Amino acid sequence: SVGMFEHVGLQNLPQYFDVVRQLLKPDGHFLNHGITHDKEGWRDTISSRFINRHVFPDGELDTMSNVQQVMERSRFEIIDVVTADSKLRVFSRNERAFSSASVFFQNSF
């Protein structure tokens, strides 16, 4: 999943990840790649308005840890997390505002 979960909406993440898990074969792997935010939730800020207008129309970002918790509740096992924060500075004046993460999960039925 590349850049998908940002469009799902924070309240829909549990259902989204449950469906992803159900579609995987036993012991299948899932790569979730996307952009997260350094602040919890999704509030109306200059950064969020820019993202909603130019990057993810009507998207919602959350912290990496919150996204991981939702995935773990859907019974995914985290195998690896890779961040690329410095590559995304173009999106924000605050270089810590966003981070890109590739998260590898294993289906743990």
Side-chain angles (χ1 to χ4, degrees):
S1 171
V2 177
M4 173 59 193
F5 81 93
E6 298 93 338
H7 298 281
V8 171
L10 299 180
Q11 72 182 55
N12 298 321
L13 284 179
Q15 181 182 3
Y16 170 72
F17 289 122
D18 283 345
V19 170
V20 169
R21 184 187 47 76
Q22 292 169 11
L23 294 173
L24 287 175
K25 294 180 181 179
D27 294 323
H29 289 80
F30 171 60
L31 167 68
N32 186 63
H33 180 283
I35 296 176
T36 57
H37 200 269
D38 69 340
K39 303 265 190 290
E40 247 183 282
W42 192 240
R43 293 171 186 81
D44 184 26
T45 64
I46 292 171
S47 297
S48 66
R49 286 191 298 273
F50 176 85
I51 286 181
N52 285 142
R53 184 171 183 190
H54 300 288
V55 184
F56 301 114
D58 299 320
E60 294 181 308
L61 304 181
D62 205 351
T63 62
M64 189 181 319
S65 60
N66 283 349
V67 173
Q68 289 174 348
Q69 285 178 356
V70 173
M71 295 178 89
E72 287 175 328
R73 287 187 198 115
S74 293
R75 298 187 351 234
F76 281 102
E77 175 187 350
I78 298 173
I79 296 173
D80 193 19
V81 177
V82 179
T83 64
D85 186 48
S86 63
K87 294 178 181 176
L88 295 172
R89 290 182 187 153
V90 69
F91 289 131
S92 174
R93 291 183 186 141
N94 176 358
E95 65 187 48
R96 293 180 356 148
F98 309 102
S99 69
S100 175
S102 294
V103 184
F104 296 88
F105 291 88
Q106 180 171 353
N107 203 354
S108 55
F109 287 99

